[in-house]
């Protein structure tokens, strides 16, 4: 999965990782691949958090929480709630 590879590259400092994640998320969304949209956004939120972009990460996890609930992705809901507690 390219989005996972982008996330891993971002953890290693790749400055284009967020851009690559966004491309993957847009592609998944355009093709109604909801699981890929949700997992890509979760990776984006985690990467933003790791990069210290707390406001952006908080916004991503808040939005993703609603999307995950709407689509019945309980594990992602739990992950978002935990991330939001951590971010404060």
């Amino acid at each position: 999965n390219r989005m996972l590879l982008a996330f891993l590259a971002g953890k290693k400092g790749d400055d284009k990782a967020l851009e690559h994640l966004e491309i993957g998320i847009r592609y998944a969304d355009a093709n109604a691949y909801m699981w890929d949209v949700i997992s890509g956004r979760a990776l984006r939120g985690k990467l933003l958090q790791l990069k210290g972009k707390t406001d952006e990460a908080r916004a991503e996890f808040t939005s993703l929480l609603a999307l995950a609930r709407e689509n019945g992705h309980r594990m992602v809901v739990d992950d978002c709630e935990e991330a939001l507690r951590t971010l404060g």
Side-chain angles (χ1 to χ4, degrees), residues 41-42 44-45 48 55-65:
R41 290 187 58 192
R44 182 171 57 189
L48 288 166
D55 290 340
E56 293 176 61
R58 189 178 300 108
E60 182 65 51
F61 284 122
T62 300
S63 175
L64 178 56
L65 178 60

Side-chain angles (χ1 to χ4, degrees), residues 24-71:
I25 293 165
R26 282 197 314 261
Y27 177 83
D29 191 41
N31 289 285
Y33 301 147
M34 188 53 61
W35 171 248
D36 291 324
V37 171
I38 289 172
S39 62
R41 290 187 58 192
L43 291 172
R44 182 171 57 189
K46 290 176 188 177
L47 188 55
L48 288 166
Q49 186 177 11
L50 289 171
K51 290 183 170 284
K53 298 180 178 189
T54 55
D55 290 340
E56 293 176 61
R58 189 178 300 108
E60 182 65 51
F61 284 122
T62 300
S63 175
L64 178 56
L65 178 60
L67 184 63
R69 278 188 178 137
E70 289 171 15
N71 287 278

